[in-house]
Amino acid sequence: MFSFQLLSALSSAAVLVSAAPAGPAPPFGGDECCSTAGAVMNLPANQTQLVSPTTAPLYVAVGVGIQNYTCAASTLKYTSTGAVASLFDISCLDKTSAFATIQTTAFDAWNAAPAGISPNTLGAKFGASTLLGYHYFIPSPSGTGISPKWDFTSTGKNAGNSSAFIVAAKAGDITDPTGNVAVNVDWLTLNNTQGSLASKVFRIDTVNGQPPSSCVAGSADISVKYTAKYFLY
Ligand SMILES: *[C@@H]1O[C@H](CO)[C@@H](O)[C@H](O)[C@H]1NC(C)=O
Ligand SMILES: *[C@@H]1O[C@H](CO)[C@@H](O)[C@H](O)[C@H]1NC(C)=O
Ligand SMILES: *[C@@H]1O[C@H](CO)[C@@H](O)[C@H](O)[C@H]1NC(C)=O
Ligand SMILES: *[C@@H]1O[C@H](CO)[C@@H](O)[C@H](O)[C@H]1NC(C)=O
């Protein structure tokens, strides 16, 4: 734990080095407002797909956004075409009772938000007003398909840092262990393929995001609201 003396020494140092970027005082290395040392993922025990690293996460976030789907004419099932989400810092909530259910609190706010409201404006409604960055998809560096990216290059203390992103590839996947597999998107672990923000990303504690189980030929593309916790290591 940081003592108040150390904290005040650090903030004096930040004042002296006045080139320090605007944003929360930087006692913790990352862009997080509080230490992530005690933040642990609550993973189901009966599986080997998602294995928690033994180090503390670099970032702990709640993601608020949409999953996009298109109707595949060959199967009449919706297939994923990517996602877009805003990621809010929840490092300061991790020792509070709000942490366990923050994804549900965030989803309720998001689900109630009128059309046209950006997720960016919602963090303050669920006690997580610091925007860490964005999650979206880019053409895959491999040349085939799309790849998920977590991009902190335009927000907070990382603003202007062109390496503060991670592009990743799925390395593990379990269906929602709470049993709502048709409603909540899978829990995932992904490995870094590009960028220096983190080496691994976990998506857990998902709320909503699944498409309807089938579609009719010619259905329009759809976007389904979701939230999840993201742990970056
Ligand atoms: C997802 O769909 C929304 C419209 O609902 C669109 O604005 C956004 O660009 C789409 N993103 C991706 C990655 O397909
Ligand atoms: C992901 O990274 C871990 C090491 O952290 C490695 O053991 C695993 O094989 C990787 N998975 C894939 C699919 O690359
Ligand atoms: C693992 O446990 C969860 C509950 O934690 C349960 O919903 C799920 O069906 C179990 N999966 C397997 C493969 O046993
Ligand atoms: C830029 O971001 C990367 C990834 O988070 C980090 O390793 C690096 O130290 C940052 N550079 C600066 C100048 O802050």
Side-chain angles (χ1 to χ4, degrees), residues 31 33 73 92 123 138 141 159-160 168 177 200 211 231:
D31 209 19
C33 297
C92 298
I138 59 165
K200 284 184 169 297
F231 281 64

Side-chain angles (χ1 to χ4, degrees), residues 58 161-167 192 194-199:
L58 299 168
N161 179 347
S162 61
S163 47
F165 73 91
I166 169 175
V167 177
N192 176 301
Q194 278 188 348
S196 357
L197 185 67
S199 57

Side-chain angles (χ1 to χ4, degrees), residues 169-172 189-192 199-200:
K170 189 158 63 173
T189 180
L190 306 101
N191 284 357
N192 176 301
S199 57
K200 284 184 169 297

Side-chain angles (χ1 to χ4, degrees), residues 32 35-41 53-60 230-233:
E32 302 256 314
S35 171
T36 55
V40 290
M41 293 187 288
T54 51
T55 53
L58 299 168
Y59 295 98
V60 183
Y230 287 95
F231 281 64
L232 277 61
Y233 291 87

Side-chain angles (χ1 to χ4, degrees), residues 1-206:
M1 292 298 287
F2 280 84
S3 69
F4 284 112
Q5 267 177 335
L6 180 49
L7 278 170
S8 73
L10 282 167
S11 40
S12 318
V15 168
L16 289 172
V17 191
S18 56
F28 303 113
D31 209 19
E32 302 256 314
C33 297
C34 298
S35 171
T36 55
V40 290
M41 293 187 288
N42 194 6
L43 299 174
N46 58 357
Q47 53 86 34
T48 55
Q49 288 280 308
L50 271 58
V51 179
S52 181
T54 51
T55 53
L58 299 168
Y59 295 98
V60 183
V62 63
V64 178
I66 53 172
Q67 297 281 330
N68 283 355
Y69 298 95
T70 196
C71 181
S74 56
T75 58
L76 298 181
K77 303 272 186 210
Y78 284 105
T79 59
S80 174
T81 54
V84 189
S86 299
L87 302 180
F88 297 95
D89 178 30
I90 52 172
S91 61
C92 298
L93 297 178
D94 89 46
K95 284 147 207 91
T96 72
S97 59
F99 189 76
T101 53
I102 185 69
Q103 65 281 353
T104 307
T105 314
F107 184 77
D108 290 346
W110 181 211
N111 200 33
I117 294 289
S118 162
N120 280 5
T121 62
L122 293 178
K125 288 197 193 293
F126 47 80
S129 53
T130 299
L131 182 65
L132 287 173
Y134 299 101
H135 168 47
Y136 55 92
F137 281 68
I138 59 165
S140 180
S142 74
T144 308
I146 54 173
S147 294
K149 181 171 181 176
W150 288 263
D151 183 348
F152 292 13
T153 64
S154 65
T155 44
K157 286 204 291 290
N158 284 305
N161 179 347
S162 61
S163 47
F165 73 91
I166 169 175
V167 177
K170 189 158 63 173
D173 186 331
I174 57 172
T175 57
D176 172 31
T178 72
N180 285 320
V181 301
V183 175
N184 301 332
V185 287
D186 289 5
W187 295 20
L188 306 177
T189 180
L190 306 101
N191 284 357
N192 176 301
T193 58
Q194 278 188 348
S196 357
L197 185 67
S199 57
K200 284 184 169 297
V201 177
F202 287 76
R203 180 180 80 185
I204 66 168
D205 292 344
T206 54

